[in-house]
């Protein structure tokens, strides 16, 4: 099954198993908003680009704070990497909410 459409001036082709996007002249692709929302990818978020066989894999770096993207003073917090500054802010918010 193949569907063709347009969104924000870009042509997309949806196939069973994914969305096909064209690479522009600068080598860029646009990640559809539905996918960004589902995976909580925001503007300016760092993404790690790797390959697996013939596939290009985009993932959120595991060595960066999930809240601010910092790579300094990381430690696990509820299954995610969080930096010292964000941990302190979370603790302060938790205390003020009581």
């Amino acid at each position: 099954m193949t569907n063709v459409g347009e969104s924000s001036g870009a042509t997309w082709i949806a196939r069973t198993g994914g969305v096909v996007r064209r690479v522009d002249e600068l080598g860029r692709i646009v990640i559809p908003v539905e996918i960004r929302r589902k995976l909580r990818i925001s503007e300016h978020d760092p993404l790690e680009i790797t390959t697996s066989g013939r596939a290009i894999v985009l993932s959120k770096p595991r060595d960066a704070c999930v809240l601010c993207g910092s790579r300094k003073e990381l430690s696990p917090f509820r299954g995610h990497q969080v930096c010292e500054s964000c941990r302190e802010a979370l603790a302060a918010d938790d205390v003020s909410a009581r």
Side-chain angles (χ1 to χ4, degrees):
M1 177 179 159
T2 303
N3 295 319
V4 178
E6 283 196 30
S7 174
S8 302
T11 303
W12 53 269
I13 304 168
R15 296 187 179 153
T16 307
V19 174
V20 176
R21 289 288 177 112
R22 300 200 187 279
V23 177
D24 75 6
E25 63 278 355
L26 296 176
R28 299 176 296 199
I29 59 167
V30 175
I31 302 169
V33 68
E34 297 83 11
I35 294 173
R36 294 191 316 250
R37 284 183 186 143
K38 181 178 179 179
L39 299 176
R40 295 185 177 141
I41 298 171
S42 300
E43 218 176 281
H44 305 292
D45 279 357
L47 290 177
E48 185 175 339
I49 304 170
T50 57
T51 59
S52 177
R54 294 182 45 104
I56 298 169
V57 179
L58 298 175
S59 59
K60 289 187 172 184
R62 295 184 183 175
D63 62 344
C65 177
V66 296
L67 301 173
C68 72
S70 172
R71 296 178 186 260
K72 298 178 183 176
E73 300 175 322
L74 298 174
S75 64
F77 178 78
R78 297 184 182 173
H80 301 283
Q81 293 292 334
V82 179
C83 71
E84 180 67 28
S85 298
C86 289
R87 271 194 316 278
E88 289 173 0
L90 288 169
D93 285 347
D94 188 40
V95 169
S96 66
R98 291 182 186 182

